[in-house]
Amino acid sequence: MKLSPHTTRFEGAIPPGDGAWSEADPLPPAPRRRRGSVLRKPYFWWVIVPTLLIAAYFQGIAADQYVSEARFVIRGRSESGSPTLGAALAQAGLGGGGQSSNEAQTVREFLISHDAVRRLAERMPVAEIFRRPEADPWARMWHTDPERMTRYVGNMITVSHENSAGIMSLRVRSFRPEDSREIAEAMLQLGEELVNRLSERSREDTLRIARNEVATAERRVIAARDALTAFREREQNLDATGQLRAAVETVARMESVLSQARTELRERS
């Protein structure tokens, strides 16, 4: 067992009452923490405050939004299917094979383009639809100039494409169910009109190429006929077929006479 060493009173100790602390005296007050130390932390401003603001917006300010979704498939020429948007693309010469992805991207880029938004605004009051009384200030459309309207509608309309299945999805958000449905139907009609224009252009290109080929062939036939007529006139040969037949008969008779002469020669010798 280890004993602690003996302790003695320090002679140089400060007597009580001269500024030294004793057990009878009260404890000194603890240092106060700085006020507002939490407010000085970046975590509070970058995480907590944005989270609280977003939660307050969605719980008390955000208006309900309704989604209308439509799906369609782009098929090739050899694939069967009903007369849908994909069938129209196939008739336009845009479907089938490894080109389906490019065709889908073409339709997708058009549906979110400025031209599609302009055509949509000509058919229905787009600004009025996205300025319904139900719309909250944050989601409401505030500007109607073409660039900002296109950007706003592009945020409310989503067009996606699944490369594996070849399925395209169109999703439209608005503040009323009937508005979402009407916009989705109008966007599908715009897509069909695009396909019809592409189909018509493809047919015109095909016909133009065919007409050019036919015209080239006709020019070649006329040139060959003129050259043959000139040859006949130059050689005084108006009936080439008859003359060729006569020449063949003459050669045959001469070969027969030659054969008889050789036979007589062998007999006499």
Side-chain angles (χ1 to χ4, degrees), residues 6-264:
H6 179 69
T7 58
T8 57
R9 183 174 180 272
F10 180 61
E11 297 297 337
I14 301 176
D18 294 340
W21 175 81
S22 64
E23 295 181 357
D25 296 336
L27 294 174
R32 295 182 179 180
R33 300 181 62 182
R34 294 182 179 180
R35 295 180 179 179
S37 59
V38 177
L39 301 179
R40 294 189 178 92
K41 294 183 177 180
Y43 179 83
F44 177 79
W45 294 104
W46 291 99
V47 179
I48 296 178
V49 173
T51 303
L52 294 177
L53 293 177
I54 294 173
Y57 168 74
F58 281 107
Q59 291 295 329
I61 302 176
D64 296 334
Q65 296 186 11
Y66 301 89
V67 179
S68 179
E69 183 173 356
R71 296 189 177 187
F72 50 92
V73 180
I74 299 179
R75 298 183 182 273
R77 290 177 179 267
S78 60
E79 298 175 342
S80 60
S82 59
T84 58
L85 180 60
L89 281 173
Q91 294 177 359
L94 300 175
Q99 297 181 354
S100 59
S101 177
N102 296 333
E103 298 151 9
Q105 292 298 328
T106 301
V107 176
R108 176 184 178 277
E109 293 299 328
F110 170 74
L111 293 179
I112 59 177
S113 65
H114 170 70
D115 189 22
V117 175
R118 180 180 60 82
R119 295 174 182 269
L120 181 65
E122 293 175 355
R123 302 187 178 189
M124 60 178 58
V126 176
E128 181 180 349
I129 289 175
F130 292 108
R131 289 180 176 180
R132 299 294 189 189
E134 300 89 339
D136 58 88
W138 181 265
R140 183 190 303 270
M141 176 187 290
W142 292 101
H143 305 281
T144 58
D145 55 284
E147 290 76 13
R148 296 184 182 181
M149 179 180 289
T150 301
R151 185 162 53 249
Y152 179 89
V153 175
N155 293 329
M156 302 298 287
I157 296 177
T158 304
V159 184
S160 59
H161 175 241
E162 298 179 8
N163 293 326
S164 59
I167 300 176
M168 295 193 65
S169 300
L170 172 66
R171 301 177 73 253
V172 179
R173 293 185 293 114
S174 68
F175 306 103
R176 292 182 182 178
E178 58 273 15
D179 291 340
S180 299
R181 178 179 56 82
E182 293 177 359
I183 293 175
E185 293 177 352
M187 296 300 290
L188 288 177
Q189 292 177 0
L190 291 175
E192 292 178 357
E193 292 176 0
L194 169 66
V195 171
N196 292 335
R197 292 196 300 271
L198 294 177
S199 177
E200 185 65 23
R201 183 179 301 175
S202 176
R203 285 195 297 267
E204 291 178 356
D205 293 341
T206 303
L207 291 176
R208 185 177 65 253
I209 294 174
R211 293 191 186 99
N212 293 336
E213 293 294 334
V214 170
T216 302
E218 289 178 350
R219 288 194 298 269
R220 291 177 179 176
V221 170
I222 294 173
R225 186 181 61 189
D226 295 341
L228 181 60
T229 302
F231 173 78
R232 289 177 180 178
E233 292 178 353
R234 185 174 60 253
E235 300 295 333
Q236 298 298 323
N237 184 7
L238 300 179
D239 189 4
T241 304
Q243 291 185 359
L244 179 61
R245 188 182 301 109
V248 171
E249 293 177 356
T250 302
V251 171
R253 287 195 302 269
M254 293 178 64
E255 289 180 352
S256 178
V257 172
L258 178 61
S259 177
Q260 293 178 1
R262 288 177 178 175
T263 302
E264 292 179 359

